[in-house]
Amino acid sequence: MAALYEGYTLCGVGPAQNSSISGILGIELGRDIDHVLVTDSSRSVTVYKVSDQKPTGSWTVKQGQIITCAAVFNTQSQEYVVVTDNKVVRVWKENDVYMERAFKATVSAAVLRVLSAADSEPVVLFCCGAVRFLDSLLASPQQPIEDVLAEEEMIRWSTVLKADHQLVVLFSTEQRGEHWLYAHRFNPNILVKHRLETEPCLSAPISFSARCRGSNIHLLYLYLNGSLYESVLPLRSSATGAEGVQALPRSLLLNLPLGEEELISGAAVMLDEAHVAVVGFPHPSAGHCKDYLCIWNTHFQTLQASKEMAGRIYSQLWCYSGKLYVPHGKMLSVIPFECQKSSLAATMGKLKQSQSESKSCSLLSSWTAQPLGDITQTPGIKSRMSTRNTGAGEDVQAEVGEFIRLTPQTDLQLATGRMALELVSRSQTDANFYPQCAFLQLLETRYLCYSVCPELLSLAMVKKDFHLCQIAFQIFPDIPEAVTCACLKAILSTPDSEIETVNLDTESVIFMKVLTQTQSGLEEEGGQQNGFCPPALESDVSDTPCSKLQRDPLALDMSCPVGLHKGALLNEVLQTAYSDKTLLPHLKDLTVPEVIVFLQYLLFIYLKYSHDAHKQIPALRTPSFSQIIDWICILLDAHFTVLAVAPEAKRLVSDLHKFVRSQVKLYAELGKIEGSLQVLKKSKQSEDFGMYSIEVIELF
């Protein structure tokens, strides 16, 4: 069995290179499984933190230069590597601001790709078929590069695998309708050439995928006619260095449906020994003109999971750490997936379950199939109800707690997801059934995420269960921007009096309580702190120091515009990961009063942070300075026109304007003394004149 979970957008995709290739040259793993490198076809390399859907670094080549292969991360040296203009190899570190200033070397032959495997030195594959380790190439960039391929023979696909603790470079080539596969091993250098079986009327494969399994390399290749073939390459054959060309038999794994229209692109990637992900081919039971991402079971020729993909599909698909990366239309989507052990019984829905799984299914069946009034008759459940609904909730909570305690850790992730889905489904169909405590128990396992049970947050909002929403915001790393905005709107539109009755995380409420009661040094003394002067104390036309200005008591009002509980919930929203481009259109769903209240709260908490009030409060989860500023900026971007003309927003916009102007003035003053500070930093230590001395330093 297999499942595709709720996806999210990682970034936009530039103009396509052709009908089968998007604007992305490649995607590679970064320094860990939560970071990926995205190389576009123009001039930039960007590192994204996948769980936050945010870029953490980006580098661009100069105008006139082009990136000609996907960048990779060297796990041994903790450096990035890319090739520009076919022959210039560039190496830089995370803290390097400009790629142009980093190390670069020009080699003597055109480079096709730089290939990287975990805990191994990157390998450079040249267009002529030659292979070099990166370090040995950079030690002598102009070393001669031999021609491995014949005339008119071109490389169509390449990868590197780690097998038997050694690297194996695989690349397929095409020459006048003939297709070949090369396997290059190191220590000693051995190159073996294989002939791929072809059919006279069949075009070249549109997609390749390879994995090392046991003592063999399994190669999958897909054709536009829907044929998915597998070839098995024994590792021992590539290690013997046999002379001549070796035959590489193939077997047909799957015939994919074609639909009515002619296909122009598609891709397949191997997920495990029984499952393959395919994009670009139609769903067997869906209408034409619709593109799907599908997971097929190759052992039993069955479709296991599918997800419709909007926009144009390309012959590109990547898979890293349980996530599929799919460029489609003008975006790059990340789709989490899960595959279970394959068997005919599982495929037909009759897999013999373990004891814990069987207990889970019996519980789910009891909760979903029976009327609420009959739940007390379920074997093994002893009801102690004072009322029918309360008793059912208590029984569910007790059974869920026992199940979590008895289920092995290896099975708990899948089991909690299934249980949450069924409980949500029951709650949506039965208005009297909502086991809040059971949901909280499942969340506390930390095995749930949004993509596993996407309806849970929506259900919590319908039920006005802000406690569950808060815990979900703390735990879920993959909440889509649309859901974040829906939760934000629900929080802002609910009266403070109603939210104040909700039981929230104690620490978050205490933080808000102390924050609203804490007086900054500015409020107590009427002066500046760390050079900061709030906009309320700044004159519109005068440069008189703010400590000498007459203060306006109303302008100095730094009271919190929302209740403590609402503020605690808003703080959770501020700490949620998001992509600016994706979040912006959803923020426009907020009404003007909601935007004004939210901006007032953001300004309030920023002023408190500016006076270091938050540092006086010990708390594990609090929004950062940069998160507050980012939300102010994106909220103003989304509602700038409305705020400019709305009469009720005039005072707030004016305060924000003064606030920004005071910040600009502060930074301008700091810029004036920057040169003097640099002189002081570089000046030599004065000679020791004894117990007392006076030194005159001239600042220019």
Side-chain angles (χ1 to χ4, degrees):
M1 299 295 290
L4 289 167
Y5 298 121
E6 188 73 19
Y8 46 89
T9 301
L10 186 64
C11 63
V13 174
Q17 300 179 26
N18 53 55
S19 59
S20 61
I21 303 297
S22 70
I24 295 178
L25 277 179
I27 300 174
E28 299 284 343
L29 273 182
R31 61 177 180 266
D32 54 45
I33 62 174
D34 196 30
H35 289 81
V36 294
L37 283 77
V38 179
T39 308
D40 65 35
S41 58
S42 55
R43 300 185 296 120
S44 68
V45 177
T46 306
V47 178
Y48 289 91
K49 186 175 181 182
V50 181
S51 60
D52 289 347
Q53 306 158 49
K54 275 194 171 185
T56 61
S58 184
W59 299 268
T60 306
V61 296
K62 293 195 305 184
Q63 189 72 32
Q65 299 173 341
I66 58 171
I67 296 175
T68 49
C69 79
V72 300
F73 183 73
N74 186 345
T75 57
Q76 291 189 333
S77 65
Q78 300 293 298
E79 294 174 322
Y80 299 101
V81 185
V82 77
V83 177
T84 60
D85 302 319
N86 296 309
K87 292 186 177 182
V88 181
V89 181
R90 299 176 183 269
V91 181
W92 73 99
K93 292 185 177 292
E94 185 86 38
N95 56 359
D96 289 333
V97 179
Y98 301 105
M99 188 190 300
E100 187 62 30
R101 298 179 184 176
F103 173 85
K104 59 183 176 180
T106 303
V107 297
S108 60
V111 174
L112 180 77
R113 280 191 68 185
V114 180
L115 303 167
S116 180
D119 302 321
S120 300
E121 182 184 346
V123 175
V124 180
L125 174 62
F126 290 87
C127 294
C128 60
V131 177
R132 295 287 190 276
F133 278 113
L134 178 64
D135 286 350
S136 64
L137 177 64
L138 296 181
S140 178
Q142 288 298 309
Q143 60 183 273
I145 304 298
E146 70 279 6
D147 287 328
V148 175
L149 306 182
E151 187 177 354
E152 298 183 10
E153 188 176 6
M154 298 183 63
I155 299 177
R156 298 299 187 189
W157 167 84
S158 61
T159 191
V160 62
L161 299 173
K162 203 167 187 179
D164 290 344
H165 307 291
Q166 289 193 26
L167 293 182
V168 179
V169 176
L170 298 177
F171 56 94
S172 67
T173 65
E174 181 181 3
Q175 181 192 26
R176 300 172 185 173
E178 296 287 338
H179 300 277
W180 318 89
L181 178 72
Y182 291 81
H184 188 119
R185 293 185 63 137
F186 303 90
N187 299 323
N189 283 314
I190 298 174
L191 181 66
V192 180
K193 183 178 181 180
H194 303 268
R195 182 193 299 273
L196 293 176
E197 290 186 20
T198 57
E199 297 177 13
C201 299
L202 208 57
S203 60
I206 60 172
S207 176
F208 287 87
S209 179
R211 275 201 175 197
C212 184
R213 196 184 309 150
S215 58
N216 299 318
I217 295 175
H218 291 253
L219 178 71
L220 261 62
Y221 39 106
L222 176 66
Y223 292 87
L224 274 177
N225 68 350
S227 299
L228 180 66
Y229 289 95
E230 180 185 39
S231 292
V232 180
L233 175 65
L235 290 174
R236 59 179 179 274
S237 68
S238 62
T240 57
E243 295 293 333
V245 179
Q246 300 184 23
L248 189 62
R250 70 180 185 182
S251 59
L252 181 64
L253 283 184
L254 197 62
N255 269 321
L256 297 170
L258 294 179
E260 301 177 2
E261 296 189 355
E262 182 181 358
L263 300 178
I264 59 174
S265 61
V269 62
M270 200 182 313
L271 304 180
D272 60 20
E273 62 181 15
H275 296 93
V276 59
V278 179
V279 71
F281 285 77
H283 191 287
S285 60
H288 65 284
C289 300
K290 289 187 177 182
D291 292 306
Y292 279 82
L293 169 66
C294 298
I295 295 182
W296 289 84
N297 186 308
T298 56
H299 286 181
F300 307 111
Q301 313 283 303
T302 55
L303 178 64
Q304 300 286 284
S306 63
K307 183 178 289 291
E308 185 177 351
M309 309 301 294
R312 183 178 177 183
I313 292 292
Y314 304 94
S315 295
Q316 293 176 301
L317 180 63
W318 292 270
C319 176
Y320 296 111
S321 306
K323 297 180 181 66
L324 292 167
Y325 295 80
V326 189
H328 60 104
K330 296 183 179 181
M331 66 185 71
L332 173 65
S333 291
V334 182
I335 314 292
F337 71 91
E338 185 177 40
C339 295
Q340 295 179 334
K341 185 178 179 181
S342 176
S343 69
L344 182 59
T347 303
M348 302 303 295
K350 298 179 180 179
L351 179 65
K352 184 178 181 181
Q353 297 159 314
S354 65
Q355 183 176 358
S356 62
E357 290 175 325
S358 177
K359 184 175 180 62
S360 171
C361 288
S362 67
L363 288 175
L364 297 178
S365 176
S366 300
W367 297 335
T368 58
Q370 301 182 46
L372 186 59
D374 296 337
I375 197 168
T376 58
Q377 305 303 320
T378 303
I381 296 182
K382 298 179 180 180
S383 175
R384 296 178 299 274
M385 296 192 295
S386 57
T387 65
R388 192 168 58 176
N389 295 351
T390 303
E394 291 175 354
D395 287 337
V396 171
Q397 178 185 353
E399 292 291 340
V400 169
E402 181 184 3
F403 173 74
I404 293 173
R405 183 175 60 84
L406 297 177
T407 303
Q409 288 293 114
T410 54
D411 301 332
L412 195 55
Q413 182 171 9
L414 180 60
T416 53
R418 292 175 56 192
M419 188 173 291
L421 287 169
E422 293 295 344
L423 288 175
V424 168
S425 178
R426 169 70 188 277
S427 300
Q428 290 174 329
T429 56
D430 186 349
N432 295 320
F433 182 80
Y434 182 69
Q436 184 203 38
C437 294
F439 285 133
L440 292 174
Q441 284 177 305
L442 294 174
L443 284 173
E444 288 170 0
T445 65
R446 296 190 175 270
Y447 284 119
L448 282 184
C449 61
Y450 179 85
S451 56
V452 171
C453 189
E455 297 298 323
L456 179 57
L457 261 178
S458 300
L459 175 65
M461 283 187 286
V462 171
K463 299 291 186 179
K464 294 293 183 73
D465 188 353
F466 291 112
H467 185 199
L468 192 145
C469 288
Q470 182 186 35
I471 302 302
F473 269 98
Q474 294 175 357
I475 294 176
F476 290 176
D478 57 345
I479 300 176
E481 288 81 353
V483 178
T484 299
C485 284
C487 290
L488 174 61
K489 186 175 181 65
I491 294 168
L492 292 171
S493 61
T494 303
D496 285 353
S497 57
E498 182 178 339
I499 294 184
E500 291 301 309
T501 63
V502 177
N503 180 30
L504 295 181
D505 176 57
T506 305
E507 185 181 78
S508 64
V509 177
I510 292 176
F511 173 79
M512 282 302 303
K513 184 176 182 179
V514 179
L515 186 69
T516 55
Q517 293 176 351
T518 301
Q519 284 190 321
S520 66
L522 181 68
E523 293 172 279
E524 294 172 346
E525 301 172 9
Q528 298 187 27
Q529 180 168 338
N530 297 328
F532 176 77
C533 178
L537 294 180
E538 186 187 67
S539 171
D540 288 345
V541 295
S542 173
D543 289 332
T544 305
C546 62
S547 59
K548 297 181 181 179
L549 290 175
Q550 185 173 359
R551 290 169 289 174
D552 179 2
L554 295 177
L556 270 175
D557 182 16
M558 293 182 68
S559 60
C560 185
V562 298
L564 300 182
H565 285 218
K566 183 176 286 190
L569 292 172
L570 292 176
N571 289 345
E572 299 295 347
V573 174
L574 297 182
Q575 297 173 78
T576 305
Y578 64 87
S579 168
D580 293 6
K581 292 182 179 179
T582 311
L583 180 66
L584 188 64
H586 296 294
L587 284 175
K588 295 182 179 180
D589 294 335
L590 298 178
T591 63
V592 175
E594 291 167 353
V595 173
I596 292 176
V597 170
F598 193 25
L599 276 175
Q600 287 173 338
Y601 176 73
L602 290 171
L603 183 58
F604 157 78
I605 194 171
Y606 188 88
L607 291 174
K608 287 288 186 178
Y609 271 46
S610 298
H611 304 137
D612 294 334
H614 65 297
K615 294 182 179 180
Q616 306 171 28
I617 312 169
L620 295 178
R621 278 183 57 85
T622 58
S624 66
F625 233 158
S626 60
Q627 287 171 334
I628 299 169
I629 284 293
D630 289 344
W631 272 94
I632 292 176
C633 293
I634 195 170
L635 201 59
L636 289 174
D637 287 343
H639 293 273
F640 179 78
T641 304
V642 175
L643 291 172
V645 298
E648 61 269 33
K650 183 177 180 181
R651 169 78 177 270
L652 175 62
V653 173
S654 176
D655 288 345
L656 286 170
H657 171 69
K658 294 177 182 179
F659 162 71
V660 172
R661 191 176 65 180
S662 69
Q663 292 291 291
V664 172
K665 185 180 296 184
L666 171 63
Y667 282 106
E669 294 297 326
L670 290 175
K672 293 178 182 179
I673 65 172
E674 181 180 8
S676 301
L677 295 176
Q678 291 293 335
V679 172
L680 287 174
K681 184 178 180 180
K682 295 178 181 179
S683 63
K684 297 181 180 180
Q685 294 291 335
S686 301
E687 298 180 9
D688 187 5
F689 290 101
M691 297 292 293
Y692 177 79
S693 67
I694 296 177
E695 184 176 356
V696 179
I697 300 176
E698 295 184 5
L699 300 178
F700 298 95

